[in-house]
Amino acid sequence: MKHIYYILLVIVSSCAQNVKEAKTNGNQIIEKVEKSKDSISIQELKLLTKVEAVHKYGTPSSIEQFILHDAYGEFRNTITNTYSQEERQSESIVIDELTWEKDEETWVTVWYEVQQKKSVPKETYIWDKGTEF
């Protein structure tokens, strides 16, 4: 029974992070309003660890993990060019790629270098939905 209570508590608290309360002038009614996805701060994403970013902005729309090397296309040029060719060829750099929906027309991708105790943001990329790479 404790497990069910704990799961419900986690679900309710995660839902509460996605809403804010607003008071109306007339009847003092409190209603829930969905938080704007445009509140994603690129500057802040560059400072937050992966865990902190997921906690603040919620579950990303997509998550991928890969070992960095030279065989990536145009989309990953930003993260690829962050490292030297020697570093990339060692194939020892693990990258977590998280993408959030910034607004109706835009995605934000953050690449995190996976280190022993945390994932550190290395690069960000803002791109239009529907873009083909």
Side-chain angles (χ1 to χ4, degrees):
M1 186 66 177
K2 286 183 181 181
H3 294 351
I4 294 172
Y5 178 75
Y6 179 74
I7 291 170
L8 288 174
L9 181 62
V10 170
I11 292 170
V12 169
S13 61
S14 68
C15 290
Q17 291 174 359
N18 293 327
V19 296
K20 63 179 181 180
E21 294 181 351
K23 292 184 181 180
T24 61
N25 290 336
N27 298 328
Q28 296 298 319
I29 297 172
I30 298 175
E31 59 185 40
K32 293 188 177 191
V33 179
E34 219 176 289
K35 190 186 219 183
S36 170
K37 290 180 182 177
D38 196 40
S39 63
I40 293 178
S41 165
I42 304 308
Q43 297 296 54
E44 195 166 29
L45 279 173
K46 292 178 181 181
L47 302 172
L48 299 173
T49 65
K50 181 178 77 171
V51 171
E52 293 167 337
V54 170
H55 180 71
K56 178 154 185 139
Y57 296 115
T59 304
S61 298
S62 71
I63 301 172
E64 288 191 43
Q65 186 175 76
F66 58 92
I67 296 173
L68 189 66
H69 55 75
D70 287 331
Y72 292 112
E74 182 182 351
F75 177 70
R76 292 184 174 155
N77 276 347
T78 306
I79 188 62
T80 301
N81 294 335
T82 302
Y83 297 90
S84 70
Q85 184 174 12
E86 192 174 275
E87 289 172 313
R88 293 189 307 264
Q89 288 178 340
S90 73
E91 295 190 9
S92 63
I93 301 167
V94 177
I95 300 292
D96 282 342
E97 177 182 278
L98 280 66
T99 300
W100 284 271
E101 182 180 59
K102 181 167 175 42
D103 56 42
E104 290 181 10
E105 300 172 358
T106 314
W107 296 107
V108 176
T109 297
V110 183
W111 289 284
Y112 297 90
E113 181 179 328
V114 178
Q115 298 177 353
Q116 285 185 359
K117 296 189 179 189
K118 61 183 176 181
S119 292
V120 180
K122 297 304 270 186
E123 283 295 333
T124 60
Y125 186 59
I126 302 170
W127 49 289
D128 294 331
K129 290 182 178 180
T131 302
E132 293 185 28
F133 296 96

